[in-house]
Every structure is written in C-alpha cells, then in structure tokens.
C-alpha cells in the first residue's frame, strides 16, 4: 500500500522532473562548452592557415624583389663590360640617380681597387664576401648591414665578364626598406607584423615600429627575455636550421603570439616570419561563440523536448512490439543453447542486426553484444573479423530470393587459429517483417577429414602408380635372371663335354639365382610391411657375431671386385644387446651390399661400429653404424627419395647394376621400428656415406678382461690411422703395452729397438690392409727379424691366403673385427698354443670332419645340400622328415653328430616339433648340439618360431654356401 502511495505522490514527480531538467541543463552546458571549444579551435586553425598563406605570398614577393635586384646588378655588369668603356665616378653617379633606392654603386677589379659613385677611392679586400662570390662567378644579395648613415642597407652584386673572363665586379647598396616594402611587414590592420630572420635566428630586418635590432641581434634573445617555453623555442630553432616551414605559439613581447615562418627560395638561409597576437584570434571568436551558443542551446532544448514527446508516443505505440520481441528473444536463446550453429538476424532494408544467438562466442569467438545492433556491411565485417564475402551472399539473396550457402575461411580469435565455416544466408518473412538469417557452422573437422581423405586418395593413387611402374620393372628384372638360368642350363646341357664351358654356365646360374633370391626376398618383405605383418622380434644379440657374419659374406663379394673392406670397431663396451638380430643384419647387409655394388673395382669401403652415450639412460647404449665408400655416389634428387618404396634411380650409370630398389625402403622401415634414424650423404662421383643410429638396451656389464697376463708387449701394424688408433685403444684395455707402426719399415725399426734393449715383442699383430704380395713379404721379413714373437694376421680369412701366411711364418689368423671380447679370446687362444701346438689355419674344407645330420623331405634339395656340404668337408647323414631325424639322433652315440640341419615343413613331424623333442630328450648332448633351421620361410616371425622351438639359428633357402658355412662355423665355435 505504501509502495502505491509513493508512486502517486506529486513530490515524486516533481523530483523526477527536477532531476530530468538538471540533467538537461548539464547536457546543454556540456554541449555548448564543446561547441564553443570547437569554434575557437576552428577560428584559431583557420587564422593560422590564413597567416601561413599570407606568409607564403609575402615570401614569393620578397623572392621576386631579390631576383629583380639581382637582375638589375647583372644588367649593369653587362653594360660596364664593354671593352671601350671607361668607368668613372660620374658615370656611376649617373646610374645611381636613375633609381631612388640606389644609395651607392661601386665597381672593382681583381686587385680590389674600387671606383664608386661617391667619387672617393677605396679598396675591397679579397676576403670580402662580395669579392669572393664575384670571382666565383656568382651574383647575389648580401645580408642586411648598418650603412654609414645609420640606416639598414642591403648590397646586390654581379661579376663583370670581358672576353669570357671575370675582370671585376659591380655592387649596388640599397636601402633595406625596399625589402620591407616588398614584404609589407604589417598585417591584420597593423595588429600583426612580419620581419626577416637568418637561419640561426639573427634578426635581419625588424618591423619599423619594433626596434629589436637595436636591442637584440638574435630572436632567441627575444624569446629568452619573454620567458618563452624552451621546448617550443628549441623546436622552432631546429625547424629553422632544417629549412622547414611551419608555425608555433610562443610568449613574445609580453603576450602569446602565433608565429608562421617560411624560408626564401632565392636567398638561402633567409626566413620570412609573420607574427599575430593570439588574443586577437580569441577576441574575434568570442562574439560568434556567444551567439552560436545561445542558438545551439535553444535548438537543443527544442530537439530534446521533441524527442521526449516522441519517446512517449513511441513507447505507447511500440509497447506490444517490445513484448513480442522479448518473447522472440527467449525462443532464440533456447534454440541457441541446443544447436551448434551461430545465427544473427538482420533487417532486409537497413541491414541492421536485430537479434544475435548467444552461442556466437562459443562458435565464432565473438561476444553477442559486439554483434547486436550493428549494420552488417563489408567494413563492419572486416572490423569484427567475419568473412566479408557474407555481403556478396546477401546481395545474391536479394536478387534471387533464394537461400545461398558457401564455405569460407575464418580466423577464430577464441581458438587462435584458422577454421572453416559453412555460411548460409536465407530470407525470412516474420509477420510481414522482411529479414535475413545469417548462419555460421564450424565445419573444420569435416573439412580436415575430407582433405585427409583426398590426400590419402592422392597418396594411394601415387602409390599405385609407383607400384605399377615398379611391377613393370620387376617383371623385366625377374625375367632377366630367369632367362639367364634357363639359358645357361640349356647351354650347359649342350656343352656337357666342355668342362670349362659348363663351369662358366654354373657360375652364371649361381649369380642369377642369388639375384633372383634377393628380388623375391625384398618383394616379400615389402608386401609384409604394407600389410602390417612384418614385425620385430627382440632377443639377446651378440654384436661380434652379427658383424662376423656380415663380414664373411661381404668380404667375399668385395674380394671379387678387388675392393678393400675395412671394419673399424670403436669404444664398444657393451657387445651384447637386446634387439632383432636378423633385421639388424638385414639393414647392415643392404647398406654394405649396395656399397660393394655401386663401388667400382679396386675401390674402398669402410664400416665403423661405435658405441656412445645414449640419451635414454644408462640401461641403453647408442650404436652408430657408418658405411662409407668411394663409389659412384648419388644425385641430390635420389637422396631425397632413396628411402621411398617402389622408387629407383633412372640413370645410365646403374642400368647394368642389379637390384629391386626396395632394400633402402625396407631398411628405413626397420630402423624406424627400432626407434633409430638412418641418414645418407653423397656426392656424384665421390661416393656415399650412410649413418644408422640405434639405441639398444645393453645386456650385462661392460666386457671384462680375463686370461691375459698383464704387461705383454704387442706391436700393431696397421696402415689405416683410424683403425690403428681404435685397435690400439682396445688392446690397451686388454693390458697390452702397445706400439703402433703404419708400415713394415716402421715395424722393423720398432723390432730392432727391442733387440737393442735385449728383448722382443710377445705378439706382433698385422691388420690385413695389404695386398697379397705385400702381406706375404711383410710376414716373411717380420718373421726373420722377430723369430721368438707370436705373429698373428687379422683379416686373412681366405684359405689360400691362410696357408701362404703360415708358410711365411705367421702363427695364427684371427678375425679382423677388433671387439674386445674377440681380441681377448683369439689372442689368448694363440698364446696358449705358443709352445708346440700351432693354431689351426683356414683350409680348403672349412667343415672338415664335421658330422652333420640333415632333415629334408625334398629329394632334389637333399641331394644339393649333401653335395655342397660334402665338398666343404662335412660328413652328412640324411632324414626325410622330422620323425626320422629324431630317431637317428636318439639312435646315435652322444657327441656323434656335431650339428643338425632341420627343414621346417616336412611330413609326419615338422621341424619345430622335431627340435623340441630333441631338446627335451634325456641325451647328454641334447641341449648343447647346434640345430639350424634350413627353410624357405624367411620372415622374422619364422626366425622367432625357430628360436622358440630351441634352434640356434636360421638359414633361408635357396642356400648361399658362404652364409651357410659362416653360420655353421659360428654355432660350432660354441659347441
């Protein structure tokens, strides 16, 4: 009840009206004040512009006067240059009377002698400015100066030429008033004035009613006396020094003045300055401001009253419409909370945005209040960051009256990135009100998905094209060795009586078979990679064994091309690691085989194995495998695609070099799966270098030295500096006292020094980096010089070379791989046999007296294997399936067989089961006897299955006897 009474109390209405009236008064006062300030500012700016324009006109008039005076002096000089004319004081006096502004005329020659209109003789100094300017060929006007009569004067001069040579000059002294009259130094009814200044502020000509020049010689002194603002003064003086034009407001002659200044275009360093009191500007504007203020206040009062009246009427008329829009807003808000599209609605005619959905911020990153009520045009869209193309869409809808949709890019400020929007503009007609609905939907995820699908499609197409091209090439590459095999077989049959011809055919069949096997293996591996079925099987791996197997195979290939293969082992402290040995071997084999393949005969290949600190921690070792050759090298284009599948260089350089082009792609995949990197650097014609970096978990502690006496002396002979340093470092950790020699001559010097000291080297180690002839000769000379020393050759793994080095005096041949464990084991073995038991050297039959049990169900394969193994010295018994193999093993005495070669896919019992049965038997040698899988199943999972069944290794078909013998010897060395 009280609430109703308060509303109806007249005092409430009076208070409200008073407050409204007070607000109106304040508004009018503020408006008048702003208007008055605006008028004053406009009057001040327009006055300044007028004074600047007037100053420019006066400068032009001054420049015109200066040009005229200079022209008069030049004309007089021309007249006086007549050869027959004699200059006399009377003549000059006559000329001086011709113009009233002429005060004095003088003519001087090169000696400085002056003939003047005053009749007096004088002399002008050669240092005088006029003299110097004249004889420099210049005419001009001097600064003002105080004449003999006490008046300000100015002198104009010009050179006199005779026969093209300056013989003297003429000068005219004038009353400086001529410059004042040229500039009309007063303005605004003498309220303002103007004068001349020099660039440094020196007063040249002051107004007649101000005697600055009599008191002050520089305008800076005037400012100082008037206590002008120093920053403004400095700004003005800097502008004068720079030759600029402009204006400034300063305290000057006791009041604030407007100064407008502009330089002369004719007389360098002269400024024309106009001065106008600031109070004059303010007084002129006061009347206008008072009258205008009253009219504005009256006008604003009427306008305000009109708008109040109009507001009341509009409130009554639009009250229902406001209620309707309020209800619409609630509906729009409910809709915006349940959709993922931002919408605003605008009027069709004015394009003013009438309603905005609240989800504008979450979808577009723009608050709804920044959109509401704005006029949607291109300028506003650009300002707020929305796509300006929306306007073109609106115009299209206006023409067609049909909805328009487009996909546009948009920088979302909320997300801080570019997104894709689906924008639609649709016409609406709500209760007769024509509007447009503009909707924005974020389709970035869909767009990215489509782009990814498109990229995947293009990649698939490119891959399919590459595969098609690859298969076309493979068709040729596979048929080539097949044709060679069938052709050479046919030739061998028809030439069966010609032994040499048959051997040649068989050698070519072997080469073609190995090439065909390599192609098939690469294709099968690539197929497994693409299908995602190629996996890695990590196990305990001995790096010396991996490298030994590699070197045994690659050395044979390198020897065929008379290439030097050097393997350097550096700082390898952990020789046993956890990795997939088969795949590691495959990567290194691919790289080394390529190095041999693409390096010319008698080239060199260096393989380095180095262990460094792993960033993964102390449980890991980082291993760097580097293969460097001096072969044909690669182009930059090939280096960029060498690891891509189904690509191969198209070049005449490699047309005759066999290969699938898949090896590097497979190697890259394997290295990636191992978490490592593979890099290549190459130059055409200079060779290539591959670096494989892998981090492996290390197994156990670093290699410890055992079995060697401390302090044994050793002489290492190695021609390669890096290899020598690495080997010496390893030997020193084995407690040897090491001397190194780079050749035989240096080695003999070391041996001689030992003899002189009454002792000899315990061991002399030759690293096999010699030619055969040099090696044999070196061994013979060293043996002759050091008969009590143990002479060991590292690297001569060829049986023929082994026999020869023995004949020349070597005691043993060891592996060229200087792993710490290898050196310790091999040298210890040799030292233990230093008495009467010579160390076994390589022979023509590397498997001499090795009793082998082989299980193979295919009769032809069995026959081939038996023949090849027998030719290597092995004694072979056979079984046709796994069960027969098991029976024959159990029926034999313990130790009778030194090895079992087991096929996998056999009838009755497969190789896996047979191996498990053998291992689980009660025989004394059941767990120790080496069992090698010999099968066409050559994938990593097959190798792992063989290990799981208890087998010691894996040999893939078709058989490569070099690899077979190397693997068998590796296993036999542990049996």
């Amino acid at each position: 009840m009280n609430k109703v009474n308060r509303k109806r109390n007249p005092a409430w209405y009076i208070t409200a009206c008073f407050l409204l009236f007070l607000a109106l008064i304040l508004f009018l006062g503020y408006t008048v004040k702003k208007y008055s300030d605006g008028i004053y500012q406009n009057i001040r700016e327009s006055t300044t512009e007028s004074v600047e324009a007037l100053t420019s006109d006066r400068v032009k008039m001054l420049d015109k006067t200066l040009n005229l005076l200079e022209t008069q002096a030049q004309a007089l000089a021309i007249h006086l240059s007549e050869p027959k004319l004699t200059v006399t004081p009377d003549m000059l006096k006559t000329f001086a009377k011709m113009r009233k502004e002429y005060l004095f005329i003088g003519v001087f020659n090169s000696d400085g002698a002056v003939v003047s209109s005053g009749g007096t003789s004088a002399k002008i100094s050669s240092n005088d400015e006029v003299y110097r300017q004249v004889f420099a060929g210049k005419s001009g006007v001097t600064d003002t100066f105080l004449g003999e009569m006490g008046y300000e004067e100015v002198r104009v001069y010009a050179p006199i030429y005779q026969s093209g040579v300056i013989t003297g000059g003429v000068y005219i002294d004038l009353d400086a008033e001529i410059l004042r009259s040229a500039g009309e130094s007063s303005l605004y009814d003498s309220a303002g004035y103007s004068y001349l200044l020099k660039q440094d502020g020196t007063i040249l000509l002051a107004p007649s009613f101000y005697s600055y020049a009599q008191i002050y010689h520089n305008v800076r002194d005037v400012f100082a006396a008037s206590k002008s603002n120093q920053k403004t003064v400095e700004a003005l003086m800097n502008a004068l020094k720079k030759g600029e034009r402009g204006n400034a407001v300063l305290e000057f002659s006791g009041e604030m003045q407007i100064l407008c200044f502009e330089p002369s275009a004719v007389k360098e360093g002269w400024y024309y300055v106009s001065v106008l009191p600031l109070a004059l500007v303010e007084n002129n504007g006061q009347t206008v401001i008072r009258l205008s203020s009253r009219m504005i206040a009256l006008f604003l009062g009427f306008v305000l009253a009109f708008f109040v009246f109009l507001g009341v009427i509009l409130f009554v008329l639009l009250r229902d419409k406001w209620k309707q829009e309020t209800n619409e807003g609630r509906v729009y808000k409910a809709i915006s909370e349940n959709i993922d599209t931002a919408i605003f609605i605008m009027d069709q005619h004015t394009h003013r945005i009438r309603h905005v959905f609240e989800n504008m911020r979450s979808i577009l990153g723009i608050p709804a209040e920044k959109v509401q009520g704005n006029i949607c045009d291109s300028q506003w869209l650009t300002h707020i960051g929305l796509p300006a193309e929306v306007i073109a869409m609106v115009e299209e809808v206006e023409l067609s009256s049909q909805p328009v949709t487009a996909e546009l890019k948009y920088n979302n400020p909320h997300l801080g990135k570019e997104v894709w929007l689906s924008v639609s503009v649709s016409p609406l007609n709500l209760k007769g009100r024509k509007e447009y609905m503009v909707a924005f939907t974020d389709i970035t995820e869909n767009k990215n998905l489509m782009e990814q699908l498109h990229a995947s499609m293009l990649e698939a197409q490119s891959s399919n094209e590459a595969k098609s091209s690859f298969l076309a090439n493979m068709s040729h590459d596979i048929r080539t060795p097949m044709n060679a095999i069938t052709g050479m077989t046919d030739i061998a049959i028809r030439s069966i009586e010609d032994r040499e011809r048959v051997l040649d055919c068989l050698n070519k069949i072997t080469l073609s078979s190995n090439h065909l096997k390599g192609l098939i293996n690469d294709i099968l591996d690539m197929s497994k990679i693409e299908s995602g079925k190629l996996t890695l099987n990590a196990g305990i791996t001995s790096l010396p064994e991996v490298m030994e197997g590699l070197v045994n195979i690659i050395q044979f290939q390198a020897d065929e091309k008379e290439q030097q293969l050097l393997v350097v082992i550096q700082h390898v402290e952990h020789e046993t690691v956890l990795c997939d040995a088969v795949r590691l071997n495959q990567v290194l084999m691919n790289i080394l085989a390529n190095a041999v393949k693409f390096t010319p005969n008698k080239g060199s290949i260096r393989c380095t194995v180095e262990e460094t600190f792993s960033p993964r921690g102390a449980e890991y070792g980082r291993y760097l495998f580097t293969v460097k050759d001096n072969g044909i090298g690669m182009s930059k284009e090939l280096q960029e695609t060498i690891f891509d599948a189904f690509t191969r260089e198209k070049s005449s350089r490699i047309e005759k070099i066999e290969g699938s082009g898949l090896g590097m792609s497979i190697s890259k995949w394997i290295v990636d799966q191992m978490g490592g990197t593979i890099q290549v650097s190459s130059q055409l014609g200079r060779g290539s270098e591959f670096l494989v970096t892998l981090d492996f978990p290390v197994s156990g502690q670093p290699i410890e030295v055992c079995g060697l006496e401390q302090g044994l002396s050793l002489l290492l002979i190695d021609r390669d500096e890096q290899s020598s340093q690495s080997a010496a470092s390893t030997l020193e950790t084995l407690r040897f006292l090491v001397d190194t020699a780079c050749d035989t001559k240096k080695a003999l010097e070391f041996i001689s020094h030992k003899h002189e000291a009454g002792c000899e080297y315990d061991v002399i180690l030759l690293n096999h980096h010699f030619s055969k002839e040099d090696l044999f000769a070196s061994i013979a000379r060293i043996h002759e010089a050091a008969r009590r020393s143990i002479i060991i050759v590292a690297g001569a793994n060829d049986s023929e070379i082994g026999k020869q080095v023995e004949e020349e005096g070597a005691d043993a041949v060891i592996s060229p791989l200087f792993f710490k464990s290898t050196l310790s084991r091999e040298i210890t073995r040799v030292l233990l046999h230093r008495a009467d038991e010579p160390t076994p050297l390589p022979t023509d039959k590397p498997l001499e007296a090795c009793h082998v049990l082989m299980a193979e169900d295919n009769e032809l394969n069995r026959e081939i294997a038996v023949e090849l193994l027998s030719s290597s010295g092995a004694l072979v018994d056979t079984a046709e399936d796994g069960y027969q193999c098991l029976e024959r093993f159990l029926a034999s005495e313990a130790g009778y067989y030194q090895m079992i070669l087991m096929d996998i896919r056999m009838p009755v019992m497969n190789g896996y089961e047979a191996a498990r049965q053998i291992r689980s038997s009660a025989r004394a040698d059941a767990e120790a006897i080496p069992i090698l899988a010999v099968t066409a199943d050559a994938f990593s999972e097959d190798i792992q299955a063989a290990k799981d069944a208890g087998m010691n290794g894996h040999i893939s078909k078709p058989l490569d006897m070099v690899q077979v013998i190397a693997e068998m010897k590796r296993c036999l060395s542990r049996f």
Side-chain angles (χ1 to χ4, degrees):
M1 188 69 181
N2 292 335
K3 185 176 180 180
V4 174
N5 288 338
R6 279 197 303 271
K7 284 185 178 181
R8 292 181 179 180
N9 192 337
W12 186 89
Y13 292 106
I14 294 172
T15 302
C17 291
F18 174 77
L19 292 175
L20 181 61
F21 178 75
L22 181 61
L24 177 61
I25 295 299
L26 293 174
F27 172 73
L28 289 175
Y30 175 77
T31 303
V32 171
K33 178 65 169 61
K34 294 294 289 183
Y35 179 73
S36 300
D37 292 343
I39 290 177
Y40 171 73
Q41 186 64 29
N42 288 337
I43 291 174
R44 179 171 172 175
E45 290 176 357
S46 62
T47 303
T48 302
E49 290 174 359
S50 298
V51 176
E52 285 182 339
L54 182 61
T55 302
S56 294
D57 290 340
R58 299 299 166 78
V59 168
K60 291 176 183 178
M61 292 173 64
L62 176 64
D63 289 345
K64 185 176 180 180
T65 300
L66 292 173
N67 281 329
L68 178 61
L69 293 176
E70 189 173 339
T71 302
Q72 291 174 1
Q74 290 171 350
L76 181 57
I78 292 172
H79 179 75
L80 296 175
S81 65
E82 290 294 331
K84 297 179 180 182
L85 184 65
T86 301
V87 179
T88 64
D90 292 335
M91 179 190 299
L92 298 179
K93 190 173 184 180
T94 302
F95 284 132
K97 291 180 178 180
M98 292 174 65
R99 292 186 176 275
K100 62 179 181 179
E101 63 268 19
Y102 287 3
L103 300 178
F104 186 83
I105 298 178
V107 177
F108 59 91
N109 58 19
S110 59
D111 294 331
V114 179
V115 178
S116 67
S117 60
T120 58
S121 60
K123 193 173 182 67
I124 187 169
S125 171
S126 60
N127 293 324
D128 190 280
E129 178 189 1
V130 172
Y131 183 93
R132 286 187 289 104
Q133 293 292 329
V134 163
F135 281 96
K138 298 179 181 179
S139 57
V141 181
T142 65
D143 292 340
T144 60
F145 60 91
L146 192 64
E148 295 179 356
M149 303 300 294
Y151 297 107
E152 291 289 335
E153 297 180 8
V154 66
R155 178 171 293 173
V156 59
Y157 54 86
I160 298 174
Y161 289 87
Q162 288 183 343
S163 300
V165 177
I166 300 174
T167 59
V170 60
Y171 61 86
I172 305 171
D173 292 343
L174 305 98
D175 190 342
E177 286 298 321
I178 191 171
L179 301 180
R180 192 189 311 280
S181 60
E184 296 182 9
S185 58
S186 64
L187 65 158
Y188 275 83
D189 296 329
S190 298
Y193 51 92
S194 56
Y195 53 93
L196 287 178
L197 290 180
K198 286 187 70 173
Q199 210 166 12
D200 61 357
T202 301
I203 300 173
L204 296 173
L205 190 62
S208 58
F209 42 85
Y210 285 95
S211 300
Y212 293 128
Q214 299 173 9
I215 303 173
Y216 305 110
H217 296 286
N218 194 291
V219 74
R220 186 189 289 272
D221 300 329
V222 180
F223 295 146
S226 301
K227 299 181 180 180
S228 301
N229 184 281
Q230 288 303 309
K231 288 185 178 180
T232 308
V233 171
E234 290 302 324
L236 172 63
M237 298 308 294
N238 288 333
L240 294 177
K241 288 180 182 179
K242 294 177 181 178
E244 298 174 350
R245 58 168 297 186
N247 64 77
V249 176
L250 285 166
E251 185 176 348
F252 198 58
S253 300
E255 59 181 328
M256 298 303 293
Q257 311 270 5
I258 298 176
L259 279 78
C260 296
F261 52 90
E262 183 170 339
S264 169
V266 173
K267 179 61 176 176
E268 183 178 359
W270 280 21
Y271 264 90
Y272 190 91
V273 181
S274 299
V275 182
L276 183 68
L278 188 62
L280 177 65
V281 178
E282 294 174 346
N283 292 334
N284 290 341
Q286 289 300 323
T287 304
V288 177
I289 291 173
R290 285 193 294 271
L291 181 60
S292 299
S293 298
R294 293 170 185 170
M295 293 180 66
I296 290 171
L298 183 61
F299 172 74
L300 290 178
F302 280 113
V303 170
L304 183 60
F306 172 75
F307 277 107
V308 170
F309 176 73
L310 184 61
V312 173
I313 295 175
L314 290 176
F315 176 77
V316 174
L317 294 177
L318 300 177
R319 181 171 50 190
D320 294 338
K321 183 178 180 180
W322 289 343
K323 289 182 179 179
Q324 178 184 345
E325 290 180 352
T326 301
N327 293 332
E328 287 179 1
R330 292 172 182 169
V331 173
Y332 292 151
K333 182 177 180 181
I335 294 173
S336 68
E337 291 174 351
N338 293 278
I339 63 173
D340 294 328
T341 299
I343 297 174
F344 65 74
I345 297 173
M346 67 180 185
D347 186 87
Q348 283 192 13
H349 300 293
T350 64
H351 287 190
R352 185 174 295 279
I353 298 172
R354 191 178 63 83
H355 193 83
V356 184
F357 278 28
E358 291 294 329
N359 59 357
M360 185 71 67
R361 179 191 290 272
S362 61
I363 295 177
L364 297 181
I366 303 173
E369 55 269 21
K370 284 192 175 182
V371 179
Q372 180 73 42
N374 286 284
I375 295 177
C376 182
D377 55 20
S378 57
Q379 183 177 359
W380 175 78
L381 288 170
T382 303
H383 172 72
I384 204 168
L386 288 173
E389 292 87 346
V390 172
I391 292 301
M393 297 174 65
V394 171
E395 293 173 352
E396 186 175 346
V397 173
E398 288 177 346
L399 294 174
S400 64
S401 300
Q402 298 295 323
V404 175
T405 302
E407 294 181 355
L408 304 173
K409 284 186 177 181
Y410 167 64
N411 286 313
N412 190 312
H414 182 66
L415 301 177
K417 64 179 182 180
E418 191 174 65
V419 299
W420 277 97
L421 296 177
S422 174
V423 183
S424 65
V425 180
S426 305
L428 297 177
N429 193 339
L430 300 175
K431 297 182 178 181
R433 187 171 60 234
K434 294 183 178 181
E435 297 174 319
Y436 291 128
M437 181 177 69
V438 183
F440 302 88
T441 305
D442 191 333
I443 58 169
T444 304
E445 291 186 6
N446 293 339
K447 195 75 175 178
N448 291 340
L449 179 60
M450 293 301 296
E451 289 179 354
Q452 291 172 6
L453 291 174
H454 181 66
S456 299
M457 182 185 70
L458 293 178
E459 184 178 352
Q461 288 176 352
S462 176
S463 178
N464 288 335
E465 290 173 1
K467 288 179 183 177
S468 299
S469 175
F470 170 78
L471 291 175
N473 292 332
M474 281 298 98
S475 175
H476 171 271
D477 289 349
I478 290 174
R479 289 176 185 274
T480 299
M482 286 177 62
N483 181 63
I485 293 170
T486 56
M488 287 295 107
T489 302
D490 185 54
I491 294 172
I493 292 172
R494 287 190 279 111
S495 307
I496 196 68
E497 300 298 331
D498 187 347
R499 176 179 173 79
E500 290 185 3
R501 183 61 171 157
V502 171
L503 286 175
D504 180 62
C505 291
L506 292 176
N507 285 332
K508 291 177 178 177
I509 289 172
T510 301
L511 291 174
S512 298
S513 299
N514 289 335
H515 174 49
L516 184 60
K517 182 179 72 172
L519 290 175
I520 293 172
N521 285 340
D522 283 349
I523 293 172
L524 292 176
D525 275 345
M526 202 67 225
S527 175
K528 283 253 181 179
I529 288 174
E530 291 216 315
S531 63
K533 295 181 180 179
L534 189 65
T535 57
L536 301 181
N537 296 296
I540 302 299
T541 300
S542 169
L543 291 179
E545 290 183 7
V546 171
M547 295 306 299
E548 186 78 32
L550 279 171
V551 171
N552 287 339
I553 296 171
I554 296 300
Q555 184 68 63
F556 175 76
Q557 299 175 10
D559 288 344
E560 288 184 335
K561 299 182 69 175
E562 300 181 54
Q563 296 169 338
Q564 182 187 21
L565 174 62
L566 174 63
V567 181
V568 180
I569 310 300
Q570 291 190 156
H571 315 302
V572 177
E573 296 295 331
H574 302 88
E575 298 179 2
T576 305
V577 298
L578 186 66
C579 73
D580 189 326
V582 175
R583 294 305 175 189
L584 175 61
N585 181 82
Q586 184 177 0
V587 170
L588 299 179
M589 180 67 76
N590 278 337
I591 298 174
L592 283 166
N594 278 349
V596 173
K597 190 185 304 180
F598 295 106
T599 299
N601 290 1
K602 298 186 179 180
S604 64
I605 302 165
R606 178 189 295 267
C607 177
T608 305
V609 181
E610 181 180 3
E611 180 184 353
T612 63
F613 172 76
S614 172
R616 294 190 182 183
E619 297 81 12
Y620 286 80
R622 169 160 288 185
Y623 294 88
L624 310 178
F625 300 90
T626 307
V627 178
K628 185 175 183 180
D629 63 63
N630 61 351
I632 62 175
M634 289 180 280
S635 64
K636 290 184 179 179
E637 293 74 17
L638 177 59
Q639 292 178 56
E640 293 175 356
T641 61
I642 189 172
F643 298 116
D644 295 344
F646 309 112
T647 59
R648 191 181 181 194
E649 184 179 17
K650 296 179 180 179
S651 171
S652 59
R653 301 183 310 133
I654 64 169
E655 283 181 352
K656 296 183 179 180
I657 299 178
E658 300 171 338
S660 66
L662 291 176
M664 287 297 99
S665 177
I666 295 170
S667 297
K668 178 69 165 61
W669 185 90
I670 294 172
V671 171
D672 287 345
Q673 294 302 305
M674 288 182 171
T677 61
I678 180 170
Q679 299 168 288
V680 60
S681 60
S682 180
Q683 286 186 347
L684 279 174
R686 302 188 64 177
S688 303
E689 181 175 356
F690 284 83
L691 171 62
V692 177
T693 305
L694 295 166
D695 292 283
F696 292 140
V698 295
S699 179
Q701 299 297 320
I703 299 297
E704 295 183 0
V705 179
C706 60
L708 288 175
E709 299 178 16
Q710 185 171 358
L712 293 177
S713 62
L714 183 145
L715 176 61
L716 173 65
I717 307 172
D718 196 333
R719 289 183 175 181
D720 186 87
E721 184 178 358
Q722 182 186 6
S723 173
S724 175
Q725 291 177 354
S726 177
S729 176
T730 303
L731 288 165
E732 286 171 353
T733 63
L734 296 176
R735 300 182 295 201
F736 281 103
L737 302 177
V738 182
D739 291 327
T740 59
C742 60
D743 54 30
T744 306
K745 180 180 178 182
K746 189 68 175 178
L748 292 173
E749 291 178 2
F750 275 111
I751 294 171
S752 176
H753 292 157
K754 278 285 185 181
H755 286 170
E756 293 173 0
C759 56
E760 288 192 18
Y761 285 105
D762 295 299
V763 179
I764 299 176
L765 178 59
L766 285 85
N767 206 354
H768 182 196
H769 299 146
F770 302 82
S771 65
K772 291 181 181 180
E773 294 75 12
D774 289 346
L775 177 64
F776 300 151
S778 297
I779 294 173
R781 294 177 66 187
I782 292 170
H783 179 65
E784 182 67 26
R787 290 185 174 275
R788 294 178 58 189
S789 299
I790 299 295
I791 301 176
I792 302 174
V793 179
N797 59 350
D798 183 272
S799 60
E800 181 181 347
I801 297 177
K803 290 180 180 179
Q804 186 69 34
V805 297
E806 179 185 9
E807 293 174 1
E808 299 296 340
D811 294 276
V813 177
I814 66 173
S815 168
L817 303 178
F818 286 172
F819 285 98
K820 190 182 292 186
S821 63
T822 305
L823 280 173
S824 176
R825 182 179 65 251
E826 294 289 336
I827 295 178
T828 300
R829 178 174 58 83
V830 175
L831 291 175
L832 290 175
H833 291 78
R834 63 161 44 178
D836 297 321
E837 299 182 26
T839 302
L841 295 169
T843 67
D844 289 328
K845 297 183 180 295
L847 299 177
E848 185 75 43
C850 177
H851 212 151
V852 179
L853 175 59
M854 186 182 69
E856 171 60 65
D857 64 319
N858 185 282
E859 184 177 356
L860 180 59
N861 287 345
R862 193 164 59 246
E863 180 183 350
I864 293 171
V866 170
E867 181 62 30
L868 293 175
L869 291 170
S870 298
S871 66
S872 298
L875 304 174
V876 185
D877 293 337
T878 62
E880 296 182 3
D881 58 50
Y883 186 73
Q884 281 188 14
C885 179
L886 176 63
E887 283 189 327
R888 292 198 176 188
F889 173 75
L890 295 176
S892 66
E893 295 181 1
Y896 178 76
Y897 291 113
Q898 282 84 51
M899 180 167 291
I900 299 175
L901 301 180
M902 186 78 71
D903 188 18
I904 299 300
R905 300 192 184 190
M906 297 182 292
V908 184
M909 180 183 289
N910 64 40
Y912 296 141
E913 184 59 29
R916 281 191 284 267
Q917 293 282 352
I918 290 171
R919 293 299 187 207
S920 62
S921 67
R923 291 254 315 209
D925 58 348
E927 293 185 1
I929 187 169
I931 305 177
L932 293 179
V934 183
T935 174
D937 297 332
F939 293 113
S940 59
E941 54 265 36
D942 303 316
I943 298 171
Q944 187 62 39
K947 288 184 179 180
D948 294 342
M951 300 190 192
N952 301 87
H954 181 282
I955 300 173
S956 61
K957 296 178 182 178
L959 299 180
D960 181 339
M961 286 309 297
V962 175
Q963 182 181 3
V964 171
I965 292 173
E967 185 69 10
M968 291 178 68
K969 288 174 68 177
R970 181 186 69 81
C971 293
L972 287 171
S973 66
R974 296 188 170 190
F975 179 55

